[in-house]
Amino acid sequence: MIAVVALVKTPGLAERLLLLVGVGVGSFLLAGAVRSQQAQLERVTHAKALTLDAIRG
């Protein structure tokens, strides 16, 4: 939402394009970080399951 407000208040076309590219890159990096954290959670969950199965068995 803040990016939309900043985009509306930005006067020049070049500045708006630069802002859009910046927001796009930031969104891409954030999505990558979330994806990485999800993969890490899956690895930890799997390791926990293996450990608990070994203790039980």
Side-chain angles (χ1 to χ4, degrees):
M1 291 300 277
I2 293 172
V4 172
V5 171
L7 186 61
V8 170
K9 292 190 177 204
T10 304
L13 179 63
E15 290 88 359
R16 286 184 182 186
L17 289 174
L18 186 61
L19 184 62
L20 281 174
V21 168
V23 169
V25 168
S27 297
F28 180 75
L29 291 174
L30 186 61
V34 169
R35 212 172 301 121
S36 174
Q37 289 296 312
Q38 287 175 332
Q40 183 68 17
L41 178 61
E42 289 176 10
R43 285 190 287 273
V44 169
T45 303
H46 181 67
K48 179 184 139 198
L50 287 175
T51 303
L52 289 178
D53 287 345
I55 291 172
R56 288 183 194 136

